[in-house]
Amino acid sequence: MSFTKLSALSRRALLGTAAAALVATSGLLPSGSASAADVTIPIIVKDTTSFYWQIVLAGARAAGKDLGVTVPELGAQAETDINGQVSILENAVSGSPAAIVIAPTEKDALGAPITEAAASVPIIGIDSSASSDKFSSFLTTDNVQGGRIAADGLAAAIAAKHGGKAEGDVALITNAPGAGSLEQRKEGFVAQLKEKYPGLNLVADKYADGQASTGLNITTDLLTANPNLVGIFASNLIMAQGAGQAVAENKAQDKVALVGFDSDDKLVSFLKEGVISALVVQDPYRMGYDGIKTALAVSKGETVEKNVDTGANLITTANMEEPRSQELLNPKVN
């Protein structure tokens, strides 16, 4: 697996994603119709190259197969490509699909485009929020709670490394500013530290640019500049990759606890090796699958839940071999 990209999917799946993106860009999505076999529900993710989003797409693909729905798999090639996602959304709407499932890249920038799109087609949100009240349904992890879970996991890992005491300096690294889900994780993490762990002092709160190499550089600088650093929370997969690499290269795992969010083969290896102390893992496959299922129901005029919590779990070296942990760490993406 490359550092910022992942090739775990088969060539068939990746080519399918690329072809779907090409269709969206050209505005040639087929129109929905009353026939179930002709119903089209595009799914638009933040980054088609990321393992996390490939799991979401795999869930959506499975739902399309099970439900007899055509599911174009769309998205930009970086979570920072906000304008690219807006263009993909506009092109998807122009194809008159039965509904659209989208994970907004940036809360404020996607608000107005989603509100406008919802005037023409039902919009189902997944993963991250946007500044719009026009979602027909929204399926996501409770990211504030996810941040709290991360704080609990970090405190426990710090205590395990430092004689049972959750004390010292800690840092937070966020993938990019403005992403609704990441800001909520930050909110929960900071609140939990203040409420439960007065001995932990947040000395650095860093934003990156969506690149794992930047996460590596930020973490390396943190380790150098903060000799009393005992813990780091990297709030998404890309930043956890970079932070994990920095901790490994600096052989800092005996002193510094690292908690990441989401998982892929690299992060699971770091967890096994003790480089990462814990991972907060969502259920992206369920987001994709239930997103399409919900979108189909809405397109038929059925009543659906307005907000659905798809859950988060703390996975450590101690529980990573348990059945539920393995189900989340090794999702089927083909």
Side-chain angles (χ1 to χ4, degrees), residues 169-214:
D169 294 343
V170 299
L172 168 65
I173 307 175
T174 302
N175 190 53
S181 59
L182 303 188
E183 295 299 335
Q184 290 166 355
R185 290 172 199 171
K186 174 180 174 178
E187 175 189 342
F189 179 77
V190 171
Q192 194 77 343
L193 289 184
K194 289 180 178 178
E195 293 169 15
K196 287 189 64 176
Y197 306 106
L200 295 178
N201 181 31
L202 184 63
V203 297
D205 180 359
K206 301 290 186 178
Y207 283 103
D209 59 0
Q211 301 298 317
S213 57
T214 306

Side-chain angles (χ1 to χ4, degrees), residues 132-285:
S132 174
D133 60 0
K134 300 303 181 181
F135 289 106
S136 296
S137 183
F138 189 68
L139 298 85
T140 186
T141 304
D142 182 340
N143 281 291
V144 174
Q145 180 61 19
R148 289 182 177 275
I149 290 170
D152 289 340
L154 188 63
I158 290 169
K161 292 178 185 292
H162 296 278
K165 296 180 179 180
E167 297 177 352
D169 294 343
V170 299
L172 168 65
I173 307 175
T174 302
N175 190 53
S181 59
L182 303 188
E183 295 299 335
Q184 290 166 355
R185 290 172 199 171
K186 174 180 174 178
E187 175 189 342
F189 179 77
V190 171
Q192 194 77 343
L193 289 184
K194 289 180 178 178
E195 293 169 15
K196 287 189 64 176
Y197 306 106
L200 295 178
N201 181 31
L202 184 63
V203 297
D205 180 359
K206 301 290 186 178
Y207 283 103
D209 59 0
Q211 301 298 317
S213 57
T214 306
L216 186 156
N217 292 335
I218 288 174
T219 305
T220 299
D221 290 344
L222 286 171
L223 293 172
T224 302
N226 297 276
N228 296 321
L229 194 70
V230 294
I232 300 171
F233 171 40
S235 71
N236 87 326
L237 185 146
I238 300 298
M239 288 306 103
Q241 287 178 343
Q245 190 70 32
V247 169
E249 289 179 359
N250 287 275
K251 296 180 172 57
Q253 55 265 42
D254 290 341
K255 177 184 176 183
V256 179
L258 172 61
V259 172
F261 214 102
D262 298 326
S263 70
D264 66 358
D265 289 346
K266 189 176 190 71
L267 297 191
V268 171
S269 293
F270 281 152
L271 184 63
K272 288 180 179 178
E273 296 162 4
V275 172
I276 286 178
S277 300
L279 295 170
V280 181
V281 180
Q282 307 178 79
D283 196 343
Y285 189 93

